[in-house]
Amino acid sequence: MAMEINGTPHGNEPRPGACLRTFLREEGLLGVKKGCDGGDCGACTVHVDGVPVHSCLYPAVRAEGKSVTTVEGLAGGGTLHPMQEQFLAAQGFQCGFCTAGMLMTAVTFDDAQKDNLPRNLKGNLCRCTGYRAIDDAVRGVSTDGPGRCGRVGANAGAPAGPAVVTGTARYTLDVDPADYPGLLHLKLLRSPHAHARITSIDASAALALPGVRAVFTHGDSPRQLFSTAQHELFTDDPDDTLVLDSVVRHVGQRVAAVVADSVQQAEAGVRALVVDYELLPAVLDPAEALRPGAPAVHGDKDGAAARIADPARNLVAELHSELGDVAAGLAAADVVHQETYTTQRVQHTALETHASIAHVDDGGRLHVRSSTQTPFLTRRALCRVFGLAEEDVHVVAGRVGGGFGGKQEMLTEDIVALAALALRRPVQLEYTRTEQLTASTTRHPFVIRISAGARRDGTLTALAVDVLVNTGAYGNHAPGVMYHGCGESLAVYQCANKKVDARSVYTNTVPAGAFRGYGLSQMFFAVESAMDELAAALDLDPMEFRRRNMVRDGDPMLSTSPEPEEDVHFGSYGLDQCVELVDDALRRGAERCRDAGLDRLGPDWAVGTGTALSMIDTVPPRGHFAHTVLELLADGSFQVSVGTAEFGNGTTTVHAQLAATALNSRAELISVRQSDTALTAHDTGAFGSTGTVVAGKATLLAAQDLAGEILKVAADAAGADVGECALVPGAVDCAGALLPLTEVFERAAAAGRSLRTDGRWGGTPRSVAFNVHGFRVAVNTGTGELRILQSVQAADAGVVINPRQCRGQIEGGIAQALGAALYEEVLVGDDGAVTTDILRQYHIPTFADVPRSEVYFASTHDSLGPLGAKSMSESPFNPVAPALANAIRDATGVRFTRLPLARDVIYLGLKAAGVVPAP
């Protein structure tokens, strides 16, 4: 079949039924990404005869006789296309998985189309950036700023930037088939039932199909129970999972795996399997699951051995604790607020779905390439499940296309390892978008009953929460999310009387897991709504009420224990600055709205403002470890090897900047290797906002040690004192004489001295970070329509290592939180099946949905973080939903207690409350 691809004649024949995306990827054009299979995300956009198309919807045979251009062909002669240059200058990407598609769409725009990006980019989704950086990139707005050699405080570009914009960055499945000879593909048969016992599986018809190599069932599974959650201490989570189980506990659970020569043959094999089930009673509601006589989701487990609090009662974990006397505190209050708040399931929706490739080398060593945030912990889990020695397992992550906590799970690695170990051939599994939405993990739904009291002077007298957490069919992250959610959400306020009663409960629904904020966003929705209600009852400004009660520098940070956590300190304190920054921005915004007439939209429109604050510990508890190896190379550059993964969190840039600062070098002279268990001793993983404050600190320590070693070698060579020598870019200045680093390397090598250092950090002591968000909204009281007139967030991130990048993390967190606050919801039907199973049913924010937010940084210097920095990946998410709910309450007088705040919900809520449009 004749066509032209990137200016070159091409004659290979596509497989029958292949879409253009699949054909192009099979031809080695790996910049064309697979994100949705339904034409919804735009990651696969290419040009056909100059017109952008979603290649996942375009049959490959239709390209006959046409000219196809992919991102690899966008530039010519080694020169970047101007739009690629613009995406670099504005850093219009984070993980970068969507970037090739964005570029291929944007390069076709004329000026008129650029003036209406909400419409013209509606077919391209980004889950990371919040779109502001993409807006700047398409319009040609550079945010590079002053260089300062790319050290701390500069807007240094991401080292992978050129690869991202040219489509040469290699994500998990962007591999050369020659590296995996004989590659097989695995597909999963999934349960149609919420709860059932498998009585038989007939694989004979499947095994008779062309290309099918094997079928794996629960009879082939190791018997070691484990958790898909990955933590430094695996005992943090219950052991309740098998690779393949004879009992299925939710719709979508694995039943069997078919391995074949192609994806299509494996899918045919899955359809040919015949399974008999014994249906078991199911429970879908967590309150019902706690009732006596409810079906036991894991009634076959030994609670003590599996670390499940009470399997017979579906109780995974519980927390009951009190500080002071809440009953007395409520009795002493002049105003009391008691209400139940509910949060929903939300899906991470990273554009790169879960995927892994496993193979066994000639020496018997298992190698796994995976889209994971935790390569070292995944290796440990595989060793535990399959009884392997650590040196016999190697795990590596390429560039990861988004994570948000969803890839802190082992969801694909174990099953491909099972197949590869059995067949001794490479095996690949890639989730479809539907599998991602129905069979991976979600945010934990919370039901929170809060009781809060305050005196007339605005002082809190009592703060109590009763929390019910739905962990779904498996307990991955169930204890941690519950404990963490009930921690800082209460500790951020000073109150003598606090109480927590919390339970995390099994149900026969899709499992929940780790998600940005890790329980805090759910809890802050309740706590911050309650703070506004108390302020309203006392006729106090909500910000003033918070000022009177929020924790201050030097105060004990207490949730419900009389003793604070020993290793959590105020490394710096910027909450007061964040409050003032948001308060001031909202005042200025009021003037702008008046000038623009936005406070006079019409008689049906009510305008209001709302705020919320949040606090988060900068590192998870009980240890989070990182190891960095740093060395001077023969060409005078530096190589950093770290264990932490890059998935748009920007840690690669941070490592380069920290090393450049300590070595007084330039960031472009620092190369970073990462997320490979062969490179360093151990790394707990890129979760809990630890990429900077743990892994970055290990890099800083290694760089500081290497600087000292280089100075010693240079001083010896120059016959000078070490104190007379100083590192400068590319050399050492020894009392005015420059010694190039290439010569320093040679001198060290000749003397047998190593210019290779190690840095280690264990994640303690820990600091706290703060975020405050404010909204100004307009609500149409007749239709429920909501318009965000102003969005502002202030963050206490300590010393901001890369302002542009940190701002991008905050904007992305705001956008993701707005989706969760306004419309995102994983819906489960009466049969336990997820019904929002494609992106057209599960709406994540598009360009048009996200307002441009004002972002401000408190001026602090953290004594515990590297060069004064604090974490800032998870925390921007947490105050958004309550601030929005508080703004709607201020505008309409109606308190909404359930997320999401969709337009129909607002309309029906206003109608029920008797709010009617002005006549």
Side-chain angles (χ1 to χ4, degrees):
M1 191 179 85
M3 71 174 75
E4 186 180 87
I5 300 178
N6 294 331
T8 301
H10 201 84
N12 290 349
E13 192 83 12
R15 287 183 294 98
C19 67
L20 183 58
R21 179 205 62 205
T22 298
F23 174 66
L24 291 170
R25 286 187 61 82
E26 289 177 349
E27 294 301 299
L29 283 307
L30 300 176
V32 184
K33 301 304 182 197
K34 178 180 179 180
C36 70
D37 299 306
D40 297 321
C41 76
C44 67
T45 304
V46 301
H47 296 172
V48 177
D49 285 345
V51 178
V53 300
H54 289 183
S55 60
C56 69
L57 297 180
Y58 196 97
V61 294
R62 284 186 57 193
E64 184 170 14
K66 294 182 168 59
S67 174
V68 176
T69 305
T70 73
V71 69
E72 290 93 340
L74 196 58
T79 302
L80 293 180
H81 186 281
M83 187 61 71
Q84 291 172 313
E85 294 277 13
Q86 289 171 204
F87 266 74
L88 283 179
Q91 194 152 314
F93 56 88
Q94 285 182 25
C95 84
F97 198 80
C98 71
T99 304
M102 287 281 182
L103 281 163
M104 297 307 292
T105 300
V107 294
T108 64
F109 290 167
D110 57 26
D111 288 343
Q113 289 171 305
K114 290 179 182 178
D115 286 338
N116 193 2
L117 292 182
R119 175 180 178 83
N120 293 305
L121 276 179
K122 66 181 181 180
N124 291 82
L125 298 178
C126 175
R127 192 56 158 166
C128 297
T129 64
Y131 297 102
R132 190 271 313 160
I134 293 171
D135 188 325
D136 287 346
V138 175
R139 296 177 186 279
V141 177
S142 174
T143 56
D144 271 341
R148 281 178 45 199
C149 299
R151 297 173 200 159
V152 168
N155 288 335
V164 167
V165 302
T166 56
T168 57
R170 291 296 173 246
Y171 296 82
T172 308
L173 299 185
D174 296 339
V175 297
D176 185 342
D179 294 335
Y180 296 95
L183 179 66
L184 301 173
H185 296 270
L186 185 150
K187 297 299 292 185
L188 292 163
L189 174 66
R190 297 187 177 276
S191 171
H193 305 299
H195 200 191
R197 180 173 288 106
I198 300 167
T199 58
S200 69
I201 300 178
D202 184 353
S204 57
L207 290 168
L209 291 174
V212 173
R213 301 295 176 177
V215 174
F216 296 95
T217 71
H218 58 86
D220 304 299
S221 175
R223 304 318 300 164
Q224 175 64 57
L225 288 162
F226 64 97
S227 174
T228 63
Q230 300 304 304
H231 285 112
E232 179 61 33
L233 301 175
F234 73 83
T235 52
D236 282 355
D237 304 284
D239 283 339
D240 58 9
T241 305
L242 291 170
V243 177
L244 290 165
D245 203 334
S246 60
V247 176
V248 290
R249 297 177 173 86
H250 68 95
V251 176
Q253 182 172 325
R254 304 171 182 172
V255 172
V258 176
V259 181
D261 293 342
S262 71
V263 171
Q264 295 74 22
Q265 290 169 328
E267 288 173 338
V270 166
R271 291 191 294 271
L273 293 173
V274 178
V275 184
D276 290 325
Y277 298 94
E278 175 194 348
L279 298 186
L280 301 173
V283 60
L284 307 181
D285 178 82
E288 292 296 323
L290 282 175
R291 296 188 190 281
V297 179
H298 286 275
D300 59 334
K301 301 293 192 302
D302 179 333
R307 298 181 300 281
I308 302 170
D310 191 342
R313 295 175 53 221
N314 291 313
L315 190 63
V316 188
E318 60 183 330
L319 171 64
H320 303 282
S321 181
E322 186 169 8
L323 175 69
D325 187 334
V326 164
L330 291 171
D334 294 305
V335 295
V336 172
H337 174 69
Q338 292 182 314
E339 186 58 84
T340 299
Y341 293 86
T342 304
T343 67
Q344 80 280 31
R345 289 181 179 87
V346 179
Q347 227 286 326
H348 310 79
T349 328
L351 286 192
E352 180 196 41
T353 61
H354 285 274
S356 295
I357 306 173
H359 76 281
V360 180
D361 65 21
D362 292 340
R365 191 182 190 204
L366 174 67
H367 300 264
V368 179
R369 179 179 174 89
S370 174
S371 180
T372 178
Q373 297 173 226
T374 58
F376 288 82
L377 300 189
T378 298
R379 176 181 66 177
R380 184 187 65 187
L382 291 171
C383 290
R384 183 167 174 251
V385 169
F386 292 101
L388 301 172
E390 196 170 275
E391 59 269 21
D392 292 331
V393 180
H394 168 227
V395 177
V396 61
R399 189 172 179 89
V400 177
F404 318 115
K407 293 174 181 174
Q408 195 190 335
E409 310 275 353
M410 186 171 71
L411 298 181
T412 58
E413 299 91 341
D414 57 326
I415 193 70
V416 294
L418 173 69
L421 288 167
L423 300 175
R424 286 310 201 252
R425 285 181 62 179
V427 179
Q428 172 180 307
L429 170 61
E430 179 181 18
Y431 273 17
T432 65
R433 179 55 57 187
T434 292
E435 285 181 299
Q436 194 76 20
L437 287 166
T438 63
S440 58
T441 61
T442 71
R443 182 183 296 281
H444 286 78
F446 274 45
V447 178
I448 306 151
R449 176 69 179 173
I450 190 166
S451 300
R455 296 190 184 93
R456 287 191 180 88
D457 65 359
T459 303
L460 281 172
T461 62
L463 186 54
V465 291
D466 189 291
V467 183
L468 183 61
V469 182
N470 185 353
T471 194
Y474 290 91
N476 42 306
H477 300 279
V481 166
M482 181 188 70
Y483 293 138
H484 188 241
C486 295
E488 292 99 293
S489 61
L490 300 186
V492 74
Y493 286 107
Q494 287 297 297
C495 181
N497 306 298
K498 298 179 182 178
K499 186 178 182 181
V500 169
D501 290 292
R503 292 158 299 277
S504 190
V505 179
Y506 285 124
T507 60
N508 292 112
T509 59
V510 60
F515 199 132
R516 198 175 203 163
Y518 211 69
L520 283 176
S521 69
Q522 297 96 312
M523 289 299 299
F524 273 118
F525 174 60
V527 171
E528 289 300 287
S529 295
M531 294 302 109
D532 258 40
E533 288 301 315
L534 290 176
L538 293 167
D539 198 25
L540 275 176
D541 175 77
M543 281 295 230
E544 178 57 30
F545 182 78
R546 288 177 173 82
R547 288 187 189 95
R548 296 184 188 185
N549 292 285
M550 66 191 190
V551 70
R552 296 280 179 174
D553 192 4
D555 289 342
M557 291 176 278
L558 303 175
S559 54
T560 55
S561 171
E563 296 296 331
E565 292 188 70
E566 291 183 358
D567 71 332
V568 179
H569 309 281
F570 289 110
S572 65
Y573 179 84
L575 178 56
D576 52 351
Q577 292 184 52
C578 291
V579 166
E580 300 310 319
L581 286 166
V582 169
D583 217 10
D584 183 59
L586 288 174
R587 281 195 295 270
R588 296 195 310 273
E591 297 173 5
R592 292 197 301 271
C593 284
R594 283 194 297 270
D595 292 343
L598 296 178
D599 59 337
R600 303 181 300 278
L601 292 173
D604 294 352
W605 290 89
V607 176
T609 60
T611 56
L613 58 80
S614 64
M615 178 175 79
I616 190 169
D617 294 344
T618 55
V619 182
R622 297 180 304 284
H624 195 107
F625 299 89
H627 173 220
T628 295
V629 177
L630 206 157
E631 55 188 317
L632 176 66
L633 302 181
D635 64 358
S637 67
F638 299 95
Q639 181 172 270
V640 181
S641 298
V642 297
T644 191
E646 173 64 64
F647 51 95
N649 49 353
T651 54
T652 313
T653 317
V654 166
H655 289 301
Q657 288 184 266
L658 287 169
T661 301
L663 293 162
N664 199 22
S665 183
R666 295 189 298 273
E668 60 266 26
L669 295 178
I670 313 288
S671 61
V672 181
R673 302 186 303 168
Q674 60 196 128
S675 52
D676 184 335
T677 60
L679 296 179
T680 59
H682 181 70
D683 188 283
T684 299
F687 63 89
S689 302
T690 55
T692 295
V693 294
V694 178
K697 189 152 185 176
T699 294
L700 177 64
L701 293 171
Q704 290 170 335
D705 284 351
L706 183 59
E709 293 302 312
I710 290 172
L711 292 178
K712 290 177 186 176
V713 172
D716 288 347
D721 292 333
V722 171
E724 297 178 288
C725 299
L727 276 162
V728 296
V732 179
D733 184 336
C734 290
L738 287 181
L739 189 67
L741 289 179
T742 52
E743 187 173 337
V744 173
F745 178 89
E746 292 169 0
R747 296 269 188 162
R753 297 177 66 169
S754 173
L755 291 179
R756 179 183 186 276
T757 56
D758 296 80
R760 288 180 168 84
W761 190 246
T764 185
R766 300 179 286 154
S767 187
V768 288
F770 300 99
N771 296 75
V772 177
H773 202 95
F775 282 110
R776 174 169 282 102
V777 303
V779 182
N780 189 305
T781 55
T783 67
E785 181 183 349
L786 174 73
R787 295 185 187 178
I788 296 174
L789 307 180
Q790 185 182 9
S791 171
V792 55
Q793 186 166 131
D796 175 18
V799 172
V800 181
I801 291 178
N802 188 311
R804 176 176 64 184
Q805 183 171 278
C806 193
R807 176 186 172 187
Q809 288 289 305
I810 293 169
E811 291 169 333
I814 294 169
Q816 198 172 52
L818 278 171
L822 289 173
Y823 37 75
E824 288 188 46
E825 183 171 13
V826 175
L827 296 175
V828 175
D830 293 340
D831 61 352
V834 172
T835 59
T836 46
D837 60 355
I838 59 175
L839 285 178
R840 293 187 191 188
Q841 296 166 339
Y842 186 83
H843 174 199
I844 69 170
T846 67
F847 192 107
D849 294 323
V850 183
R852 183 169 285 212
S853 292
E854 303 167 51
V855 176
Y856 302 96
F857 293 109
S859 179
T860 63
H861 184 287
D862 197 78
S863 61
L864 304 176
L867 301 182
K870 290 202 277 198
S871 61
M872 196 50 58
S873 290
E874 292 186 272
S875 56
F877 191 107
N878 296 330
V880 172
L884 191 64
N886 288 339
I888 295 171
R889 163 70 163 86
D890 184 53
T892 66
V894 178
R895 169 57 60 189
F896 288 89
T897 60
R898 180 183 292 268
L899 295 177
L901 301 168
R903 179 172 176 174
D904 59 334
V905 171
I906 295 174
Y907 168 75
L908 292 172
L910 295 178
K911 184 177 179 181
V915 177
V916 295

